[in-house]
Amino acid sequence: MLPFGERGGVEPSRGEAAACGAGDRGEVRAGPLDHFGWPGRSCTLRMVALSALVYARTGSPLLAAVAFGIGFLPQVLGGALLGSLADRLRPRPLVAGVYALEAGAAAALALLDPPIAVCLLLVAVVACVTPVMSGAVYRLAAEVLPGDGYVLGRSLMMVAASVAQLLGLAFGGVAVVALGARQALLVACAVYAVAALLVRVLLEDLPPAPPSGGAGGGAAGSFVGASWAVNRRLLADRTVRVVLLAQWLPVSFVAGAESLLFPYAQVRGFAEGAGAFLLACLPVGMMAGNLVGGRLLGPGTRERLVVPLMVLFGLPLAAAVPLPVAAVLLGVTGASLAYELGLQRRFVDVVAAGARGQAFGLLSTGTMTLQGVGPVVFGGVAEVAGVGAAIASAGAATLVVALSLRRGLSRPSAAPVADADAGSAPRPAA
């Protein structure tokens, strides 16, 4: 059960009750929002199965790696051209439709045996709509969980995503070995299909976001033009830009370090399987950090801890230590991701209601894209300077970002962005 936060005696609306699930004693639970994280295990399963399938057919480690990460970079195109659909479309058919599309893609990969190039293209095309769905999901969460309830709801969704990642990594490897890559893809198809059905049945058919004067999701005109216009206004605003960078860059640096944990375990001479063990320490820590940060810390404390936790997010990556200590430090790294809880309410406050779906889509686009870029960058560093130095440099880069953004993060929130006409000049930077 999640505390709903102070409502001033106002009862939840029918839409809020349907989306959140009214509870006793003034509490609500996330209800269908709980389920938006668990299909992530299907995404991880599909990535593992497709990578295994491509490697079995080609014997190329490079193509297998491309197959594993092909769902990241195309999200830039989707976020840039389609982002405004997160505000213009009703959430239920949008989210259910994307899950159904994912199910169809997994079935096609398993049953049709397309050429490798077609496999990669199919996954890339589906990835283009991911930012739209993410934007709609988080816009809905911000609307039905006002005040600090939104932060607590996001905390619960992050825990669900961590569980999904752990289950996806564990179940994905077992499923590919036990069933084969094609059958594992069919399992992923079934999970996506169930997700689509749950969203269709459990989530009320809520309306699109209200228009916000021309740049929001409900504005008239081309959705591509609106997507470009709102993205430009969001990125041109200093307050929004600082909050975006604080959520994009540290995560991408740590993703770069995470991608090197298997070679790190080998270089350090750890036992076989240590790489997978170290990899699991991050989501375990992330679950713990979100539970503690969401349940035990007040809003003011979470906001004051943003920069210290961001610093702590990078510090544990700088040491070459024995396996048990490395596991603890990676758990601390994962727990420190709770710094994002102190930014979430601020992000909602500085974006106009009619553009929140697109703003969340932009946040998701940058996060996913840079998580694809981070491993490439720090993998290149590892080729030149060694694996340990590359992981330490990822930690150092995180520290530099935390210290560089601390001033901007301490500024008070300004007026909402993207509330004026798309063609007008952006609000002057603070």
Side-chain angles (χ1 to χ4, degrees):
M1 301 287 285
L2 271 180
F4 195 64
E6 295 296 326
R7 293 296 305 261
V10 179
E11 293 294 324
S13 68
R14 188 170 66 94
E16 289 171 344
C20 300
D24 299 328
R25 298 179 303 278
E27 293 181 327
V28 301
R29 55 187 175 84
L33 294 177
D34 287 340
H35 303 294
F36 285 136
W38 69 265
R41 78 187 68 169
S42 176
C43 178
T44 307
L45 171 58
R46 186 201 64 197
M47 291 163 63
V48 172
L50 179 60
S51 180
L53 180 64
V54 168
Y55 186 70
R57 289 178 58 180
T58 66
S60 169
L62 175 60
L63 285 177
V66 170
F68 189 85
I70 191 64
F72 290 107
L73 289 179
Q75 294 192 33
V76 173
L77 187 63
L81 300 180
L82 308 177
S84 66
L85 294 178
D87 295 300
R88 293 186 171 212
L89 300 179
R90 302 195 314 276
R92 186 175 74 180
L94 172 59
V95 176
V98 172
Y99 281 150
L101 183 62
E102 295 272 16
L109 292 170
L111 300 175
L112 300 182
D113 194 24
I116 296 299
V118 175
C119 291
L120 299 179
L121 180 62
L122 178 61
V123 175
V125 169
V126 173
C128 287
V129 299
T130 300
V132 181
M133 184 188 74
S134 298
V137 167
Y138 290 119
R139 173 179 72 82
L140 179 60
E143 289 178 359
V144 302
L145 296 172
D148 199 49
Y150 167 70
V151 179
L152 300 177
R154 280 293 301 268
S155 172
L156 179 61
M157 294 168 77
M158 288 291 289
V159 171
S162 300
V163 173
Q165 182 181 355
L166 284 170
L167 290 176
L169 287 170
F171 181 64
V174 172
V176 169
V177 172
L179 304 176
R182 295 189 187 282
Q183 288 73 20
L185 283 168
L186 290 176
V187 173
C189 169
V191 175
Y192 277 124
V194 171
L197 180 62
L198 284 174
V199 171
R200 179 69 184 174
V201 171
L202 297 178
L203 186 65
E204 184 173 342
D205 195 13
L206 300 173
S212 63
S222 163
F223 66 84
V224 174
S227 299
W228 275 105
V230 174
N231 282 336
R232 284 198 306 269
R233 291 184 60 79
L234 290 169
L235 292 172
D237 184 88
R238 181 175 180 177
T239 303
V240 175
R241 191 168 62 247
V242 165
V243 178
L244 286 172
L245 290 175
Q247 296 177 87
W248 285 345
L249 295 180
V251 172
S252 70
F253 298 152
V254 172
E258 182 183 17
S259 71
L260 297 170
L261 289 179
F262 276 102
Y264 176 77
Q266 293 182 359
V267 168
R268 296 279 297 148
F270 295 152
E272 186 176 356
F277 171 66
L278 292 175
L279 199 63
C281 291
L282 283 164
V284 169
M286 189 167 72
M287 282 189 289
N290 273 272
L291 285 172
V292 170
R295 303 292 294 190
L296 301 182
L297 302 181
T301 303
R302 287 195 296 263
E303 292 171 9
R304 287 191 297 272
L305 287 177
V306 167
V307 174
L309 285 177
M310 200 186 304
V311 169
L312 190 58
F313 193 46
L315 275 178
L317 301 176
V321 292
L323 178 60
V325 180
V328 171
L329 291 178
L330 286 170
V332 171
T333 297
S336 301
L337 185 61
Y339 82 83
E340 290 190 334
L341 293 176
L343 296 173
Q344 288 163 3
R345 191 68 243 168
R346 181 185 181 95
F347 189 64
V348 171
D349 290 342
V350 298
V351 177
R356 279 180 189 156
Q358 183 167 346
F360 282 120
L362 178 62
L363 173 62
S364 173
T365 298
T367 300
M368 299 303 291
T369 301
L370 290 174
Q371 283 189 86
V373 172
V376 175
V377 172
F378 290 100
V381 174
E383 289 286 338
V384 175
V387 173
I391 293 177
S393 67
T398 303
L399 298 180
V400 170
V401 168
L403 297 176
S404 300
L405 296 180
R406 70 186 189 283
R407 231 181 196 178
L409 293 173
S410 66
R411 296 172 185 268
S413 298
V417 181
D419 204 17
D421 291 340
S424 62
R427 176 168 54 81

